[in-house]
Structures are given as structure tokens and as C-alpha cells.
Amino acid sequence: MFVKVCGLATTADIDVAVEAGADAVGLVISGTSVRGLEREHAARLAAHAPAGVLSVLVVNDTPAVRAAELARELGVGALQLHGGHYGAEDFAAAALVFPRLWRATSLKERPDTRVGAHGEEVLLLDSPRAGSGARWDLSLLDSARPEGTWLLAGGLAPENVAAAIAQARPWGVDVSSGVESAPGVKDPDRIRAFVAAAKAAA
């Protein structure tokens, strides 16, 4: 089970996630998120992520090509374009600058749930209110479950991730607010518990 811990803000956060066994760490650059980082801060965190752990730049309000340029400048491993407002044309333009793209959306957007439909290598299905910690109705996946390399996100926490994996059967999971003690503040014990529960559920 692939596990991404997102919205990390410090090198200590990264260290805990890596030691817990996370496969990827997410760094957010956004003007609307409590987890948003300044470019220089994100660059330091990206450089801190060790080899073998994928660093993912997450954006939701940056034009796709500029986001791809940022991903290249920061030296991250992948770029996550988050939101249904990024269309196939955005992905095509971004891929010319930075080829490793993830597509994140919610079923509320009525997206194409075929992994790779926009040229992305990973699809992430989130709550309609990304970053809110709100759970969503996983039974909606009964008629729209992707196949292949896709991550489940939205409202996941150490207490419910095993049940969510059993129901949704994703390739991987993504967590942010579910491992926090306060908005934007990661809790080391909850990170460890989440990764352990997700890996055990697989």
C-alpha cells in the first residue's frame, strides 16, 4: 500500500513520515491553504526528502505551466495538480515542462476516472472540500472506481484508514488533516499510527 503524507511544514515532519514508512511526502504551495508554503521553504523541504521517498508538490491555484516550472525549480519528484479546474489542456502544457504529473479531483467534479485520462501517472480522488478532513461517501466508488495507480484521500485518519482501504480498494492513500493536532500542525504519533494502519490493511 502506497502512503503519502501531505501538507508537511518542517524537516521534522518529513523525518517522522519517512521513519514511519511513508512512500511520499507532499508539499503544498497555495494561497488558500493553511498548509501553504513559501517557495524557499518548500525548496528546503524538498531537498531534505531522502532518496527513495517521493516528494510531491501540490498546487490548487497556480497556473499549470507555472506549477510545472516550480516543480522543476524545486527539484521535487512529482507535481500534483489539485482540482477539476485543471483540464486536459493544462496537463498537456505542464507535461512539456515537467513530465511526472498527478491529477487530484473529487467525484463531485464528475471526472474521467480512468488513470492517465489527462496524461497523469497517478490519479487521486479526494473529498469535495480538499484539505478539510471531511469524509465522503465511498459507496459512490461502486459505479466510478478507478483501476490502476490511484490514491484515496479525504477524511482519512489512523482510526478509519483500514476500513476505507477495505471498501475502496485503492492502490494507495493520502492523508493530511487526519494526522494533525491543529490545522497545519502535524502530530508525529498520528503520522506513525496512520502509516502503520495503512500498511497493515494492505
Side-chain angles (χ1 to χ4, degrees):
M1 178 61 55
F2 187 96
V3 178
K4 173 169 164 271
V5 181
C6 199
L8 302 182
T10 68
T11 55
D13 288 344
I14 291 177
D15 290 341
V16 170
V18 170
E19 290 163 7
D23 302 284
V25 293
L27 312 174
V28 177
I29 290 184
S30 167
T32 61
S33 172
V34 68
R35 301 169 189 89
L37 305 171
E38 295 296 329
R39 181 194 176 285
E40 293 74 15
H41 189 176
R44 288 193 295 272
L45 296 184
H48 188 75
V53 174
L54 185 68
S55 57
V56 183
L57 172 63
V58 179
V59 302
N60 67 353
D61 56 5
T62 303
V65 172
R66 177 54 188 146
E69 292 168 347
L70 271 173
R72 187 174 62 187
E73 292 164 9
L74 296 176
V76 295
L79 168 63
Q80 179 176 315
L81 298 177
H82 203 116
H85 53 283
Y86 291 111
E89 299 83 1
D90 294 307
F91 277 82
L96 296 175
V97 178
F98 189 87
R100 295 198 66 185
L101 302 178
W102 292 21
R103 174 167 60 104
T105 186
S106 76
L107 291 182
K108 183 180 179 181
E109 304 281 351
R110 299 186 181 278
D112 189 329
T113 55
R114 295 174 300 167
V115 178
H118 289 183
E120 77 279 1
E121 65 178 56
V122 175
L123 173 66
L124 185 149
L125 291 181
D126 200 357
S127 160
R129 292 188 295 130
S132 67
R135 299 182 68 176
W136 54 283
D137 184 1
L138 297 184
S139 69
L140 295 173
L141 287 166
D142 292 344
S143 59
R145 182 177 285 104
E147 295 182 3
T149 311
W150 75 280
L151 272 67
L152 178 68
L156 299 181
E159 299 81 6
N160 66 20
V161 66
I165 288 171
Q167 181 176 358
R169 304 192 303 276
W171 171 80
V173 290
D174 177 285
V175 68
S176 186
S177 58
V179 292
E180 292 179 343
S181 56
V185 180
K186 292 295 185 282
D187 182 312
D189 289 337
R190 289 188 66 77
I191 290 175
R192 295 184 187 101
F194 182 91
V195 176
K199 296 288 187 179

